[in-house]
Amino acid sequence: MRFSRMLLPTLKESPADADVVSQRLMMRAGMIRKVAAGIYNLLPLGFKVVKKVEGIIREEMNRAGAQEVLMPMVIPAELWQESGRWEEYGKELLRVNDRHNREFCLGPTHEEVITDMVRREVRSYRELPMNIYQIQTKFRDEIRPRFGLMRGREFIMKDAYSFHATDESADQEYRNMYETYCRIFERCGLEFRAVEAETGAIGGRFSHEFMVLAETGEDAIAACDACSYAANVERAEVRAVEPSNEPESQRPVERVSTPGQKTIEEVSAFLKIPREKLIKTLIYETDQGIVAALVRGDYELNEMKLKRTLDSAFVKLADEQKVRETTGAPVGFASPVKLKCRVIADHSVRELRDAVTGANEADAHTVNVNPGRDFKAEFADIRNAVEGDGCPRCAGKLTIKRGIEVGHIFKLGTKYSVAMGATFLDEEGKEKPMIMGCYGIGVGRTAAASVEQNHDEFGIIWPRPLSPFECEIVPVNVKDAGTVNAAEALYEELKGKGVDVLLDDRDERAGVKFKDADLIGIPLRVTIGERNLKQGLVEIKERKTGTVKLVKTEDSAGEVLRTISA
Ligand code: ATP
Ligand code: MG
């Protein structure tokens, strides 16, 4: 392709409304342009990268035995009503009416459509398992579309759905997809982690998120520094601390006056006692009644873990009145001592000696509180993991990293097949709901994540598999006939050998062309200039390392071919 003929509008300045590096660089490199909030045009260069990502995904999905289809983007409301999600999904679901006033939505995901498709066609266990995927445009009316292609409203997703007769078969496909995803993101040249998103919950439901590690990621990940354990911070398990052999305290419990001091910070400052000697007592409403949840003052309670520990349908912080009824005090002064409700305490509370709690009365706290001696509790892991916590799988320590979720695999179980009647006949002729899994990858987000991970102050550094071109030729001065002839000859030769090559044939200053080359980040650049040509040489430069090589003009095509196929 000739630069002069290409819609490749590079920008010298960063656009004002770009929040992250990938968005800034993809705008500047003329890859994307905003049409409306979260809705983008993919210009030729951006489109080429997206097609590269899609190509890798398609190859690996096909190799894994999945089959490609294309489902509609516009979905009748009835299907979503059948699954119950028409009511559940909320405002991210863009709903539209047709000319007959029938309701439709723009598909944000396609469990309903695929379940409908499969229930109509598949009858017997003999036809199972199957894995069906598509690469298609989704629409989600995200509340805060931002970061360019990373969180759009309209975006391209690869979504796959598998159907099984047995649980073992579903688990096997889950592992197959896990490995396939690892291959896909490795081939994309990304540094990533597969992260446990939900573990051991009832009904065999589990899921992994694939996270590209980058400072700008929206998700926090707890990853072990010794083994492969990694989990979303909200889900990460924390190894319980070893029981201490500190002797029990002999100090009696004592009430102290703390007028107006409610929060952990206030009480800690007022009593001059560090936060890790305080016990936070939070009163929750659950489907099993009122529960007091305890964590050490410097930690955060994790409601999801509390909910799972209790196996409760919901957990909700109790309102002022319920707190008063339970503790006899306003919010901020609760104590587990002599509290008449179930008490769940985080493992971090167990080893505390002479701790501080509320006093179950206004403007007072209790000091020298000792778990076991002064109150009874059930101990569980109910707090957020923090840097330095023990890994739940090995003796290592957890570190907190940031990541961008590019893929998600999920064992769905029978949620949709039961709701929508997707059944099959098993070997004994008994009718059963199919067991399902679903597997998504954000295509545009993967491209953007690659830029987040691979760039420098001058621009993008494409990993070879995602690069929009394999090589760029830069003739320094297009007014010099010799330069032009050499550049054109190399261009034709490389094209003839099947290399996807960009020729910067613009009549621009050398500085402008070099800046643009660095910005758009093609891995290999051949620079053709008068001075080198006089000695029969051209310069080949690697974008990533900056390594420069002078090669004989007649060897240049061969050298390019060798490098790109290495
Ligand atoms: P997030 O938590 O980031 O909103 P999600 O859990 O809603 O993601 P899924 O429903 O699992 O995402 O969708 C599968 C994949 O689609 C995600 O892993 C992500 O790569 C991509 N994706 C989801 N929402 C968006 C979006 N708004 N813009 C671009 N890609 C997206
Ligand atoms: Mg989302």
Side-chain angles (χ1 to χ4, degrees):
M1 188 73 209
R2 290 172 188 279
F3 205 132
S4 64
R5 311 280 6 113
M6 201 172 166
L7 181 59
L8 210 177
T10 55
L11 306 173
K12 281 197 196 65
E13 305 293 330
S14 288
D17 57 348
D19 317 311
V20 287
V21 169
S22 58
Q23 182 183 16
R24 214 154 43 229
L25 289 177
M26 289 169 97
M27 301 267 291
R28 285 191 53 210
M31 297 175 66
I32 57 170
R33 287 291 183 266
K34 187 149 106 184
V35 176
I39 299 176
Y40 284 84
N41 277 327
L42 284 177
L43 274 49
L45 203 70
F47 185 69
K48 287 190 85 157
V49 173
V50 162
K51 287 290 148 189
K52 288 275 165 80
V53 177
E54 287 184 14
I56 291 172
I57 294 174
R58 187 171 277 119
E59 263 180 46
E60 292 300 335
M61 289 301 289
N62 292 347
R63 189 213 299 266
Q67 43 195 322
E68 187 170 4
V69 297
L70 188 57
M71 291 180 255
M73 189 204 188
V74 179
I75 308 173
E78 289 77 26
L79 287 179
W80 280 68
Q81 281 154 355
E82 264 192 78
S83 72
R85 284 210 290 185
W86 187 256
E87 278 73 38
E88 254 171 53
Y89 213 85
K91 291 204 162 180
E92 267 190 32
L93 190 65
L94 187 66
R95 297 153 212 252
V96 289
N97 287 21
D98 73 1
R99 65 165 76 200
H100 307 294
N101 223 21
R102 290 188 202 109
E103 290 180 298
F104 289 84
C105 63
L106 298 190
T109 172
H110 278 67
E111 284 81 2
E112 283 80 358
V113 181
I114 191 81
T115 305
D116 177 56
M117 178 158 115
V118 170
R119 76 176 163 184
R120 287 165 189 269
E121 315 303 336
V122 174
R123 293 269 167 279
S124 157
Y125 72 94
R126 280 189 211 94
E127 298 161 78
L128 297 173
M130 62 171 69
N131 186 339
I132 298 175
Y133 79 97
Q134 63 174 346
I135 298 177
Q136 186 224 27
T137 298
K138 299 278 184 273
F139 194 92
R140 294 181 183 180
D141 204 353
E142 297 271 357
I143 181 161
R144 276 185 65 210
R146 58 190 185 282
F147 306 157
L149 298 191
M150 283 217 273
R151 187 167 295 283
R153 292 195 294 167
E154 189 179 304
F155 60 95
I156 301 169
M157 196 201 287
K158 185 284 296 180
D159 46 329
Y161 307 88
S162 68
F163 296 82
H164 307 270
T166 64
D167 222 37
E168 297 75 66
S169 162
D171 290 354
Q172 198 182 335
E173 186 60 13
Y174 186 89
R175 282 192 296 276
N176 182 26
M177 283 296 108
Y178 183 101
E179 282 154 22
T180 301
Y181 273 41
C182 289
R183 269 203 302 277
I184 289 171
F185 295 122
E186 265 158 34
R187 278 188 59 185
C188 287
L190 292 164
E191 197 197 331
F192 68 96
R193 280 274 196 144
V195 161
E196 279 179 25
E198 191 161 345
T199 46
I202 349 100
R205 293 176 54 188
F206 40 86
S207 101
H208 280 88
E209 289 168 347
F210 287 77
M211 297 280 188
V212 167
L213 302 180
E215 284 300 312
T216 45
E218 288 184 283
D219 294 281
I221 305 160
C224 179
D225 58 10
C227 74
S228 68
Y229 180 78
N232 223 314
V233 157
E234 303 106 61
R235 321 257 180 174
E237 299 159 47
V238 175
R239 175 164 20 101
V241 287
E242 297 298 316
S244 112
N245 40 24
E246 225 181 295
E248 290 212 347
S249 169
Q250 301 302 318
R251 295 197 201 164
V253 166
E254 200 181 313
R255 177 192 172 284
V256 292
S257 177
T258 51
Q261 313 296 317
K262 293 183 188 175
T263 65
I264 290 289
E265 287 68 30
E266 287 166 354
V267 176
S268 164
F270 186 82
L271 296 176
K272 300 198 175 54
I273 295 177
R275 295 192 308 165
E276 55 269 26
K277 292 285 264 184
L278 272 54
I279 298 175
K280 227 187 285 189
T281 306
L282 297 156
I283 308 298
Y284 274 91
E285 286 182 62
T286 76
D287 68 4
Q288 296 144 35
I290 295 285
V291 168
L294 274 48
V295 285
R296 214 171 78 180
D298 54 333
Y299 291 134
E300 263 171 55
L301 182 98
N302 181 314
E303 293 190 348
M304 209 107 70
K305 288 184 176 181
L306 177 65
K307 182 167 171 274
R308 234 178 297 158
T309 302
L310 291 166
D311 195 14
S312 171
F314 67 94
V315 298
K316 184 173 153 253
L317 263 180
D319 60 20
E320 177 81 39
Q321 196 197 331
K322 288 254 164 52
V323 171
R324 263 180 201 281
E325 282 168 18
T326 311
T327 68
V331 173
F333 299 98
S335 166
V337 180
K338 298 200 180 100
L339 196 62
K340 288 198 178 48
C341 70
R342 192 168 166 196
V343 178
I344 309 279
D346 183 68
H347 292 302
S348 58
V349 170
R350 191 197 287 263
E351 304 306 322
L352 290 182
R353 296 283 184 274
D354 299 328
V356 179
T357 72
N360 294 331
E361 72 174 85
D363 299 330
H365 279 77
T366 316
V367 297
N368 301 335
V369 173
N370 287 272
R373 188 190 76 176
D374 303 318
F375 67 90
K376 298 273 174 285
E378 301 159 52
F379 290 95
D381 172 16
I382 57 167
R383 70 170 169 93
N384 283 339
V386 297
E387 180 90 26
D389 274 337
C391 170
R393 301 278 185 275
C394 76
K397 279 193 164 35
L398 297 180
T399 57
I400 309 292
K401 299 178 191 293
R402 299 208 70 81
I404 301 165
E405 179 199 320
V406 286
H408 194 175
I409 60 176
F410 203 90
K411 190 177 168 204
L412 283 170
T414 55
K415 178 174 169 181
Y416 294 93
S417 49
V418 166
M420 297 181 66
T423 59
F424 68 99
L425 297 177
D426 73 3
E427 273 175 82
E428 274 111 53
K430 266 208 340 236
E431 190 171 350
K432 282 188 178 160
M434 297 177 198
I435 298 158
M436 291 172 60
C438 71
Y439 319 93
I441 295 180
V443 174
R445 194 184 278 186
T446 301
S450 171
V451 178
E452 289 292 331
Q453 221 173 51
N454 304 290
H455 66 268
D456 62 15
E457 71 232 78
F458 306 111
I460 302 172
I461 304 171
W462 288 112
R464 197 156 284 136
L466 300 192
S467 181
F469 289 98
E470 295 175 278
C471 165
E472 176 173 353
I473 304 171
V474 181
V476 176
N477 173 11
V478 294
K479 293 202 174 75
D480 175 60
T483 302
V484 171
N485 287 343
E488 291 285 342
L490 179 61
Y491 178 58
E492 291 305 329
E493 186 175 356
L494 286 175
K495 274 206 306 182
K497 299 227 157 83
V499 178
D500 195 9
V501 51
L502 176 68
L503 172 67
D504 192 349
D505 57 344
R506 295 174 302 165
D507 185 8
E508 288 279 3
R509 281 185 295 112
V512 171
K513 291 189 180 188
F514 292 151
K515 275 220 169 73
D516 276 348
D518 281 343
L519 176 61
I520 65 180
I522 311 301
L524 212 57
R525 181 177 96 196
V526 184
T527 307
I528 301 181
E530 281 171 77
R531 211 176 322 135
N532 281 332
L533 266 187
K534 284 207 183 96
Q535 288 152 37
L537 298 171
V538 299
E539 180 193 290
I540 297 184
K541 185 174 177 185
E542 263 185 63
R543 174 68 180 89
K544 186 171 179 171
T545 56
T547 316
V548 173
K549 229 192 239 174
L550 286 174
V551 298
K552 291 208 188 93
T553 314
E554 61 270 26
D555 294 340
S556 56
E559 181 61 26
V560 168
L561 280 166
R562 259 192 305 283
T563 314
I564 63 180
S565 52

